[in-house]
Amino acid sequence: GTFNLSNRVNELLDVARDEVGMLELDIEPVDILGILSEAIESALPLAEKQGQSIISQLPRSLPPVRYPVQACLPHLWPRPGVR
């Protein structure tokens, strides 16, 4: 829908900004274990519904990761109320 089209246009604008050296990203710490845990938890109901299981062997900790969050997370978790 509209959100998807807007998202694609913004991605194309980011590519154009990157190509001319104008792309500025806010690099922030990212909780990779938290993201992985949430992804697994969100997939569990569907897996169980299909008679499947998910086995994860995540470590207790990982080294800190810094990443341009705005470039990654919106694709993983759309804003509430937006389909």
Side-chain angles (χ1 to χ4, degrees), residues 3-77:
F3 174 73
N4 199 18
L5 177 59
S6 175
N7 194 28
R8 296 292 176 230
V9 169
N10 286 331
E11 287 175 353
L12 288 173
L13 289 171
D14 284 347
V15 168
R17 286 183 194 109
D18 185 43
E19 287 181 357
V20 296
M22 295 177 57
L23 182 63
E24 294 181 18
L25 298 173
D26 295 324
I27 306 297
E28 301 177 20
V30 176
D31 176 16
I32 294 297
L33 283 177
I35 292 171
L36 293 172
S37 295
E38 284 184 41
I40 292 166
E41 283 182 40
S42 68
L44 277 174
L46 179 60
E48 290 172 353
K49 183 178 178 181
Q50 296 179 354
Q52 302 293 316
S53 62
I54 296 177
I55 299 170
S56 66
Q57 297 179 345
L58 298 175
R60 290 182 187 251
S61 66
L62 287 172
V65 174
R66 295 179 56 81
Y67 193 79
V69 176
Q70 71 274 22
C72 171
L73 297 181
H75 302 290
L76 299 176
W77 290 281

